[in-house]
Amino acid sequence: MESTIPQPSTAPTTSAQGVSVSAPPASSTVAATAPGSGVAPDQTPMEDVVSTNAVTAEAIARQNQTVVEEFQYLLEKSQQLFAGLRDLPPTGSKQWQSYFQKTFEIFAKLWRFQQQNRFVLENSYGLKRWEVGEIASKIGQLYYHYYLRTSETNYLQESYVFYDAIRERRYFNEISDSKNPALMIKKLRYYARFTVVCLLLNNRDVISTLKDELSALVKEYIATFRPQDAAEWLLVVQEISAFTDAEKKLHPVNSAGSYLPVARRLQNSKAISAALDKEGLSSTKLKLQEAILVGNSHNQIKFSELTIDMYRMLQSLEREISQIRGTTDMAAKDSTPSAVTSAVAGGPSSESGSSINITGKEEGAEDAAVSQRRPADKASKRSNPHKCLLYRPTLSQLMVYLATAFKEVSSDSAILVYISADGLKRPAPDHSGVKGYHGGILTNSRKVTDHSDPEQQSISHCLHPGDLVPFTRKPMFLIVDSNNSVAFADMPRVFNHPFMSLMSPTEYPDSVPDTSQVGGLFTLFLHAPLLAFSFICGIEEISPDTWEQCSGLITQAECKIAELMATATLEKPVRRFLQDEFLRQFMIRFALCHIILKAHVAFTEAKHLPTSYPPLPASILESHEVVSKVRALAVLAEARCFEFDDPLVGQ
């Protein structure tokens, strides 16, 4: 009699990802036994079934062990490469490229591998959710550091995608239950890094939530472990609060208390381009290639090593992010990091078993969206200038970065040096006869020599105008926000290359709110003129319609200044700066800042106004047409702190 024979299971072992790990198939029949054995010809003896199951279990165990070993290799390799990132030179354009390439590739393999083998790794290796979160966090850090190296905002968006997924999927939630201080620090650092990314993306809602969650986690960390670094983490929370409060003080709200929209990155203006792009027809267009941003003011508002002035200037040197939250822009990443994005977009998700990528979109929909965006992005992609962020650098560090930027810049490109720092004036007369060394900007002094002259120490650690002269062999654009900014009005002109400096007021009227609590007013004008206008006028609440009309008037004023600059008598080297979109925006907003402050009743002295070298002509800074726009802006915003020489102008 034939009977049904129990078989070892041939069904695939399905992981939590929905990816199958198939066991080797066993034979469905066994040869007939010898006559007289007492077993039906088509029936398998029980000892053979047990033996076959044992062989299959052993094969599965070997396969699982192979998976674990491969994962351990990828994990160890990724950790080695990630640790090596800190040893890469901070300067130089291409020295780090190949290393980032290798690091992204290994993390792409690691991420996809743990997705495809999550079930095996959880059961045979003991993979924890926080370990998956740590991998995702490192990928987020990779994208952020690649953004800092390349200045391409799409990579900043990718960093956000990974950090946001960690929080949404609660990868680090079990850490609080583990009572492990080292793991708790990992979680706190993740929150701090995510906050920086959200700040740069101006995601106010998420920042507010992260701040509250981080504050609660720090309190829990201190209460549970009583660590030695408690004061440091309390300072982190305090810095985030001060940073966000400074932004709140500047930003008017509507009647419902919601913040009104402000453009913080470069937006293309067809009117300005039409007026000024013709400047590049007769010669090769000048392009801003390198930017060095320095923050060294006393009692700066900062978070991590990013001061609020550096934060604003950094965004002013980037084009507006055209990407929607949670998407990947493959066309804008034809180079290194696409390996990670491909691995993430192509792989299934974690727990649900459904085919979901890290962004939370369905795989097919993601691919379709990417293919639809690709041609447009390729056509519109234009690079941002490369930026170096220097928080409280020493003079030697600053000079190294200047020398490297000078080396990288081509003859048809420019260097931007932005300095937000305390000034230093030489107290005693300088009888050396050397021009350009009568004082300047303080840099950080890490060591103080015993029995040294404090005055001599300060002068030695000061960046003088003359220190920049060797680097003016190539086009240089200088912005100084300091109480001694005018020191750079005496800049020696040794080489016949384009040079321009924009300098902040050296003092502000007592009636103006304390700018130390909100960052530099001059920097704010260059970053977002309407916010600066609202601040000096004390505007805290305004209707959305009025705000939009005010924004339109600012745009009209900027366009009019651009038209005036196109026809004004400017030095030929200076005129070349108008060929670059970023530099022309700074020049236009400098003129607008001068016109607005001069019309304000509190800014009555020359030291209250910004200056430039070479100076812009009066035909721009005293234009009746621009003044009429400012007057219309003051009337619309009901700002009663302005006086105009001709009340009928523009009517």
Side-chain angles (χ1 to χ4, degrees):
M1 183 179 86
E2 293 185 1
S3 61
T4 304
I5 309 298
Q7 301 292 332
S9 174
T10 59
T13 305
T14 305
S15 73
Q17 302 278 345
V19 178
S20 60
V21 181
S22 300
S27 176
S28 60
T29 58
V30 181
T33 58
S37 62
V39 182
D42 293 330
Q43 188 174 13
T44 304
M46 183 57 67
E47 57 268 23
D48 288 348
V49 172
V50 173
S51 175
T52 303
N53 283 339
V55 170
T56 303
E58 183 179 350
I60 294 175
R62 284 198 303 269
Q63 183 177 355
N64 290 349
Q65 183 61 28
T66 301
V67 169
V68 170
E69 290 174 356
E70 177 68 13
F71 175 77
Q72 289 175 321
Y73 166 77
L74 292 173
L75 183 62
E76 182 179 351
K77 188 68 175 175
S78 68
Q79 290 171 344
Q80 290 175 353
L81 289 170
F82 190 86
L85 291 174
R86 66 173 63 96
D87 298 326
L88 294 176
T91 57
S93 59
K94 299 300 179 185
Q95 300 174 23
W96 47 267
Q97 191 86 35
S98 60
Y99 194 92
F100 262 90
Q101 176 79 37
K102 294 176 185 176
T103 309
F104 270 110
E105 287 175 355
I106 201 70
F107 269 98
K109 292 178 182 177
L110 176 63
W111 183 258
R112 177 170 287 172
F113 190 85
Q114 65 81 22
Q115 284 184 314
Q116 295 171 342
N117 299 280
R118 178 77 65 84
F119 180 80
V120 173
L121 292 172
E122 286 176 346
N123 291 276
S124 299
Y125 174 76
L127 183 68
K128 302 292 191 297
R129 287 185 59 76
W130 67 262
E131 293 177 290
V132 178
E134 187 175 18
I135 296 171
S137 179
K138 280 187 166 60
I139 295 175
Q141 291 177 61
L142 271 177
Y143 272 119
Y144 175 71
H145 286 292
Y146 203 76
Y147 153 74
L148 292 179
R149 295 268 183 173
T150 63
S151 297
E152 293 299 335
T153 48
N154 293 304
Y155 303 133
L156 183 64
Q157 182 72 23
E158 293 296 347
S159 180
Y160 175 89
V161 168
F162 276 88
Y163 283 142
D164 187 50
I166 293 169
R167 185 167 165 271
E168 284 188 356
R169 299 185 180 190
R170 303 181 179 181
Y171 281 130
F172 287 150
N173 269 25
E174 63 185 29
I175 284 179
S176 298
D177 300 330
S178 66
K179 304 302 179 183
N180 186 324
L183 293 183
M184 195 66 172
I185 289 175
K186 288 181 184 290
K187 187 173 183 177
L188 294 176
R189 287 176 176 169
Y190 153 74
Y191 267 89
R193 290 172 181 135
F194 192 13
T195 301
V196 171
V197 170
C198 289
L199 280 172
L200 293 174
L201 291 173
N202 298 300
N203 197 329
R204 292 180 177 275
D205 294 337
V206 178
I207 292 172
S208 178
T209 304
L210 289 176
K211 182 178 69 172
D212 294 340
E213 292 179 2
L214 178 59
S215 179
L217 285 171
V218 168
K219 290 179 182 178
E220 178 187 347
Y221 172 62
I222 294 173
T224 304
F225 303 106
R226 301 192 180 279
Q228 294 182 347
D229 60 352
E232 297 175 17
W233 282 109
L234 288 173
L235 181 61
V236 168
V237 175
Q238 181 182 341
E239 286 183 349
I240 296 174
S241 298
F243 206 102
T244 53
D245 288 346
E247 286 290 286
K248 289 178 182 177
K249 291 175 184 177
L250 287 173
H251 214 126
V253 297
N254 59 21
S255 58
S258 300
Y259 291 104
L260 298 163
V262 174
R264 294 181 178 270
R265 288 179 166 87
L266 179 69
Q267 294 183 321
N268 294 329
S269 170
K270 293 182 179 179
I272 292 178
S273 297
L276 295 175
D277 276 350
K278 59 186 178 182
E279 295 295 329
L281 296 179
S282 59
S283 60
T284 304
K285 265 195 166 186
L286 187 76
K287 178 182 178 183
L288 178 59
Q289 182 177 333
E290 295 284 333
I292 297 176
L293 311 183
V294 179
N296 194 39
S297 296
H298 186 61
N299 293 330
Q300 296 174 343
I301 296 175
K302 73 175 188 71
F303 177 54
S304 184
E305 293 192 345
L306 184 70
T307 70
I308 198 162
D309 286 343
M310 294 166 65
Y311 159 78
R312 289 168 182 157
M313 189 56 58
L314 180 148
Q315 294 182 84
S316 298
L317 290 167
E318 296 172 350
R319 289 179 171 83
E320 193 63 61
I321 301 175
S322 58
Q323 191 176 340
I324 348 174
R325 176 184 180 273
T327 65
T328 52
D329 193 336
M330 300 290 288
K333 295 188 294 297
D334 293 333
S335 57
T336 310
S338 58
V340 179
T341 305
S342 299
V344 173
S349 178
S350 51
E351 302 74 35
S352 65
S354 60
S355 182
I356 303 174
N357 56 49
I358 196 77
T359 64
K361 290 190 175 185
E362 293 185 4
E363 185 177 353
E366 172 71 11
D367 292 341
V370 167
S371 66
Q372 287 174 2
R373 287 197 307 275
R374 187 170 300 168
D377 289 330
K378 280 186 177 179
S380 62
K381 182 190 174 187
R382 285 181 292 178
S383 61
N384 298 319
H386 174 250
K387 299 180 290 292
C388 293
L389 310 179
L390 302 182
Y391 171 68
R392 300 197 66 194
T394 62
L395 180 63
S396 59
Q397 288 174 331
L398 178 54
M399 298 302 282
V400 167
Y401 277 85
L402 282 168
T404 304
F406 178 82
K407 178 183 176 182
E408 297 292 331
V409 166
S410 64
S411 58
D412 293 320
S413 298
I415 306 171
L416 167 71
V417 180
Y418 166 81
I419 304 174
S420 170
D422 297 320
L424 177 70
K425 297 179 181 179
R426 188 186 285 270
D430 179 19
H431 301 293
S432 64
V434 180
K435 188 178 180 181
Y437 289 91
H438 302 290
I441 299 298
L442 277 174
T443 58
N444 191 26
S445 175
R446 304 203 187 280
K447 294 182 180 179
V448 178
T449 307
D450 294 336
H451 309 296
S452 61
D453 182 2
E455 179 184 324
Q456 184 61 38
Q457 281 287 312
S458 298
I459 292 295
S460 298
H461 293 285
C462 174
L463 178 72
H464 300 269
D467 294 326
L468 297 177
V469 171
F471 306 109
T472 59
R473 287 177 170 89
K474 293 181 180 179
M476 175 180 284
F477 196 95
L478 179 65
I479 300 175
V480 185
D481 195 341
S482 170
N483 57 355
N484 192 34
S485 60
V486 291
F488 293 86
D490 191 27
M491 188 78 177
R493 296 286 296 274
V494 180
F495 309 103
N496 191 27
H497 284 282
F499 174 83
M500 187 166 197
S501 61
L502 305 181
M503 296 160 284
S504 69
T506 54
E507 289 186 24
Y508 291 103
D510 294 335
S511 59
V512 173
D514 184 9
T515 56
S516 65
Q517 301 301 312
V518 294
L521 179 60
F522 181 61
T523 298
L524 184 61
F525 262 107
L526 299 181
H527 171 61
L530 188 53
L531 283 183
F533 172 85
S534 302
F535 176 71
I536 63 173
C537 296
I539 299 173
E540 297 180 355
E541 183 178 322
I542 192 170
S543 72
D545 289 342
T546 303
W547 182 258
E548 186 176 354
Q549 293 176 52
C550 289
S551 180
L553 285 170
I554 289 286
T555 301
Q556 292 175 30
E558 291 180 344
C559 291
K560 177 52 65 176
I561 292 172
E563 293 175 7
L564 294 171
M565 285 185 172
T567 57
T569 303
L570 299 175
E571 293 184 19
K572 186 176 180 180
V574 173
R575 185 173 287 281
R576 289 201 67 195
F577 288 127
L578 294 174
Q579 298 168 0
D580 181 82
E581 293 174 287
F582 296 102
L583 299 181
R584 75 167 59 146
Q585 178 170 271
F586 290 139
M587 294 173 68
I588 290 170
R589 289 181 174 177
F590 166 84
L592 182 60
C593 171
H594 187 283
I595 293 169
I596 290 176
L597 294 186
K598 191 174 182 180
H600 195 284
V601 294
F603 292 77
T604 57
E605 301 181 46
K607 62 184 179 182
H608 297 157
L609 301 177
T611 54
S612 68
Y613 176 75
L616 293 179
S619 60
I620 297 175
L621 299 182
E622 298 176 6
S623 165
H624 292 312
E625 293 171 292
V626 179
V627 170
S628 70
K629 300 295 182 185
V630 174
R631 180 178 181 274
L633 178 65
V635 171
L636 182 62
E638 298 181 358
R640 310 187 189 283
C641 50
F642 291 92
E643 286 184 358
F644 299 92
D645 295 335
D646 183 1
L648 299 177
V649 70
Q651 291 188 356

